[in-house]
Amino acid sequence: SAVISQKPSRDICQRGTSLTIQCQVDSQVTMMFWYRQQPGQSLTLIATANQGSEATYESGFVIDKFPISRPNLTFSTLTVSNMSPEDSSIYLCSVDGVGLDTQYFGPGTRLTVL
Amino acid sequence: EDKVVQSPLSLVVHEGDTVTLNCSYEVTNFRSLLWYKQEKKAPTFLFMLTSSGIEKKSGRLSSILDKKELSSILNITATQTGDSAIYLCAVEDRSNTGKLIFGQGTTLQVKP
């Protein structure tokens, strides 16, 4: 398994501002992902964070709104830019790859935008 | 379009009851089906089912994959209040390694 931490665990932000969420894993992993879970909804994949190159975004998500960094095999950040109340969600990072038997999720960041 | 559908969306039972949660999928290149339990924020892994492992059991929980019917069930016997959670079904698409497609989830409430 993998031990994953996320910071912050929760935040309340004002409309128009940006928030950067960090995801740290206790071992090197091949794949890191960012998901969003809007209130009452299931998880939706935002993007795959690629080490050393630009993230791969899913349909409906763009780099300008959700810039992602992955400087090494244990760390990634997701920024939610120019936030609006519709961005209020739980944001989760997950990891998978060689040495892991399945995909594991971090504890999540609960974001509220006023 | 790939999709995963769970039913029921919510369920209320009493302690000691047995529940069956359903998951059906339409995925172009099926690789595996996963069940997660979500309390508060983070989904925790329960089972992974593949073509080579279509039945899994852990304590009071068990799951079966029916590749012919493109579906899976999650059974919980002798339910306890601690089983109250959202149960998520996800399918991994072989063509997009690592990408999980999630169902809507089933919210289970177990009353004392």
Side-chain angles (χ1 to χ4, degrees), chain A residues 56-68:
Chain A
T56 305
Y57 289 85
E58 296 299 306
S59 176
F61 297 96
V62 295
I63 188 171
D64 289 346
K65 176 66 176 177
F66 297 102
I68 288 171

Side-chain angles (χ1 to χ4, degrees), chain A residues 46-58:
Chain A
I46 297 172
T48 302
N50 301 309
Q51 194 266 328
S53 64
E54 195 171 285
T56 305
Y57 289 85
E58 296 299 306

Side-chain angles (χ1 to χ4, degrees), chain A residues 9 37 42 58 102-103 106-108, chain B residues 34 36 38 41-42 98-99 103:
Chain A
S9 61
Q37 187 175 30
S42 192
E58 296 299 306
T102 188
Q103 191 163 138
Chain B
L34 298 92
Y36 288 88
Q38 186 178 29
K41 292 184 296 185
K99 175 181 176 180

Side-chain angles (χ1 to χ4, degrees), chain A residues 1 5 17 25 40 79 94 109 112:
Chain A
S1 66
S5 61
T17 62
V25 192
T79 299
S94 69
T109 296
T112 302

